[in-house]
């Protein structure tokens, strides 16, 4: 067969969160049990249960025969009107015709960037980045992603000076991407920062893509203003807000997300982008019907807020314990979480070195991991993650996989704090042993 794949372009498709699971599965075939999966943000996999009343809402949807058919390309009218009405109650102007459903937010992300990059425009991403955004956008662009800095030393808040410099340097940028509460860092963005991003969008005639998937998952006494609210206080600009049912019901297997378009009538180019996205989705027919049909019944039920508060309390308890423990490890710094269900820990400068390792008792697993770590271009935090898997049976995601500084991301989704203490006692011990290993080799 003749060449099919553009290898350089295919190499831009990176999603180590799941790629690491492939390595873990290989280790399992070699006899190394992987017993702690700290890499994937799936509440159900970690033992969370949807309450019976939510399951009953879905049963009611399943019983209605029309819900077994296609939904309109843009989504069910009832679901879109419910979302629009919810925003209007908070003083945000949004009409149902400006909402488009997709089969999971990942589908929406892909469709958005495919449509945007058809005209040569680019988006600039926060770093650390969420790879579903950065990888998809760079793949369709056929070029490396463009980043603006967010660093742990500044509570992971966006560096507006760096953002503006990158905008000046890259005239191809059409949109600024924001993600809050952030994945992978779990921090919220202050109103001051969001107002600064809005000011840059206005100054340079740009739009903003605001991924607010986790905006309902805020820890106690934590607030987070949505970007539509920030924008409404000043001159409008093109804005796309992204949300999903995957994390706050949670229902990741339902695969349902949506895009909210603001100020379409203010900009002809933005309206053309929205129409291109809809045309793209029409080719794909429609998104999942049953989740859309259940959405008003779930989010609109008075029991939802009580359930959500309980879910968030569990996440916060786990997050507080993990961040406090990680901050006792010499050589590690972890900004406490403010929402969502992740934490990002960074290795302090100079503590990671080539040649560090952990003892691996399984000879076949050792040989396999050493073959992977022989790559001289392997990021040092990924080397640590590989050794942790093979030596301790624990999988986490290196922060370099999010285009961030050396470190790692973990989830805060366990339902049993005793299990969490067991896992993170092992992680703490492994970090200390790993960092000390280079000393013994001198």
């Amino acid at each position: 067969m003749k060449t099919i794949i553009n290898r350089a372009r295919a190499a831009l498709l990176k999603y180590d969160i799941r790629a690491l699971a492939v390595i873990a599965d290989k280790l399992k075939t070699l006899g190394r049990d992987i017993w702690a999966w700290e890499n994937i943000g799936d509440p159900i996999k970690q033992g969370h249960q949807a309450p019976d009343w939510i399951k009953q809402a879905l049963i009611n949807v399943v019983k209605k025969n029309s819900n077994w058919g296609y939904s309109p390309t843009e989504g069910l009218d009832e679901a879109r009107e419910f979302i629009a009405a919810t925003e209007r109650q908070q003083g945000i102007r949004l009409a149902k015709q400006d909402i488009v459903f997709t089969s999971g937010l990942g589908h929406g992300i892909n469709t958005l960037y495919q449509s945007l990059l058809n005209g040569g425009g680019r988006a600039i991403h926060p770093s650390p980045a969420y790879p579903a955004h950065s990888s998809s956008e760079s793949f369709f662009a056929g070029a490396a992603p463009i980043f603006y800095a967010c660093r742990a030393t500044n509570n992971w808040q966006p560096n507006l000076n760096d953002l503006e410099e990158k905008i000046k340097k890259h005239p191809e940028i059409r949109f600024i991407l924001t993600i809050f509460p952030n994945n992978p860092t779990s921090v919220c963005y202050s109103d001051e920062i969001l107002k600064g991003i809005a000011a840059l969008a206005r100054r340079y005639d740009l739009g903003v893509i605001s991924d607010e998937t986790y905006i309902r998952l805020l820890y106690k006494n934590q607030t987070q203003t949505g970007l539509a609210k920030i924008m409404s206080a000043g001159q409008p600009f093109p804005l796309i807000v992204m949300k999903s049912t995957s994390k706050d019901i949670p229902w990741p297997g339902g695969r349902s997300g949506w895009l909210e378009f603001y100020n379409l009538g203010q900009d002809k180019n933005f309206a053309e982008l929205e129409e291109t996205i809809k045309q793209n989705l029409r080719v794909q027919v429609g998104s999942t019907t049953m989740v859309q049909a259940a959405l008003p019944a779930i989010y609109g039920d008075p029991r939802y807020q009580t359930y959500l508060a309980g879910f968030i309390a569990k996440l916060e308890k786990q997050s507080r314990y993990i961040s406090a423990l990680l901050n006792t490890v010499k050589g590690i710094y972890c900004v406490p979480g403010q929402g969502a269900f992740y934490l990002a820990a960074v290795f302090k400068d100079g503590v990671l070195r080539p040649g560090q390792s952990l003892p691996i008792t399984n000879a076949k697993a050792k040989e396999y991991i050493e073959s992977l770590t022989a790559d001289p271009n392997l990021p040092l935090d990924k080397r640590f993650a590989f050794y942790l898997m093979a030596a301790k049976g624990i999988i986490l995601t290196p922060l370099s996989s999010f285009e961030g500084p050396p470190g790692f991301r973990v989830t805060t989704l366990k339902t049993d704090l005793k299990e969490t203490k067991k896992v993170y006692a092992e992680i703490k011990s492994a970090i200390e042993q790993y960092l000390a290993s280079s000393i013994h080799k001198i």
Side-chain angles (χ1 to χ4, degrees), residues 221-262:
N221 300 323
Q222 181 64 49
T223 60
Q224 175 65 75
T225 308
L227 205 37
K229 188 74 171 178
I230 294 289
M231 180 191 63
S232 67
Q235 182 182 354
F237 51 81
L239 172 64
I240 301 172
V241 174
M242 298 179 152
K243 293 179 182 173
S244 166
T245 61
S246 291
K247 309 302 183 178
D248 57 24
I249 290 182
W251 196 356
R255 308 313 302 139
S256 187
W258 64 92
L259 311 181
E260 301 170 3
F261 294 85
Y262 293 85

Side-chain angles (χ1 to χ4, degrees), residues 32-72:
R32 167 71 264 186
D33 178 45
I34 306 297
W35 62 280
W37 296 75
E38 303 302 302
N39 60 320
I40 296 177
D42 183 346
I44 306 305
K45 184 178 179 66
Q46 293 286 9
H48 289 270
Q49 295 274 340
D52 289 342
W53 67 266
I54 288 182
K55 293 177 180 177
Q56 185 59 52
L58 180 57
I59 290 170
N60 296 340
V61 164
V62 170
K63 286 181 177 179
K64 189 174 180 180
N65 193 62
S66 62
N67 292 328
W68 289 79
Y70 289 125
S71 77

Side-chain angles (χ1 to χ4, degrees), residues 63-259:
K63 286 181 177 179
K64 189 174 180 180
N65 193 62
S66 62
N67 292 328
W68 289 79
Y70 289 125
S71 77
T73 294
E74 293 83 355
L76 296 179
D77 279 353
E78 313 91 86
R80 295 160 74 210
E81 179 53 43
F82 177 85
I83 292 167
T86 300
E87 294 301 321
R88 289 195 296 268
Q89 289 170 7
Q90 300 176 53
I92 306 299
R93 295 179 61 184
L94 180 65
K96 72 175 182 181
Q97 60 266 29
D98 298 330
I99 300 169
V100 178
F101 269 87
T102 58
S103 295
L105 195 51
H107 175 217
I109 288 168
N110 271 342
T111 304
L112 167 61
Y113 292 130
Q114 184 181 27
S115 303
L116 170 65
L117 294 165
N118 185 50
R122 298 295 307 270
I124 184 168
H125 307 259
S127 169
Y130 181 52
H133 280 284
S134 58
S135 180
S136 175
E137 194 265 354
S138 66
F139 174 75
F140 288 117
I146 307 167
F147 297 111
Y148 62 92
C150 306
R151 292 294 174 258
T153 50
N154 190 36
N155 199 36
W156 294 120
Q157 296 294 296
N159 183 325
L160 297 182
N161 291 330
D162 184 60
L163 174 56
E164 184 167 19
E165 286 303 311
K166 297 292 177 53
I167 291 170
K168 292 176 180 178
K169 183 179 178 181
H170 294 277
E172 67 272 27
I173 290 173
R174 298 292 183 271
F175 280 90
I176 302 166
L177 173 68
T178 64
I179 305 173
F180 56 82
N182 187 263
N183 179 8
T185 66
S186 197
V187 301
C188 295
Y189 288 172
S190 69
D191 282 8
E192 180 184 3
I193 287 292
L194 293 180
K195 288 175 182 177
I197 290 173
L200 289 174
R202 295 182 181 112
R203 186 179 309 154
Y204 293 97
D205 193 22
L206 302 176
V208 177
I209 301 165
S210 186
D211 187 336
E212 300 178 14
T213 299
Y214 300 93
I215 200 164
R216 296 178 191 262
L217 300 179
L218 302 176
Y219 296 166
K220 188 176 180 180
N221 300 323
Q222 181 64 49
T223 60
Q224 175 65 75
T225 308
L227 205 37
K229 188 74 171 178
I230 294 289
M231 180 191 63
S232 67
Q235 182 182 354
F237 51 81
L239 172 64
I240 301 172
V241 174
M242 298 179 152
K243 293 179 182 173
S244 166
T245 61
S246 291
K247 309 302 183 178
D248 57 24
I249 290 182
W251 196 356
R255 308 313 302 139
S256 187
W258 64 92
L259 311 181

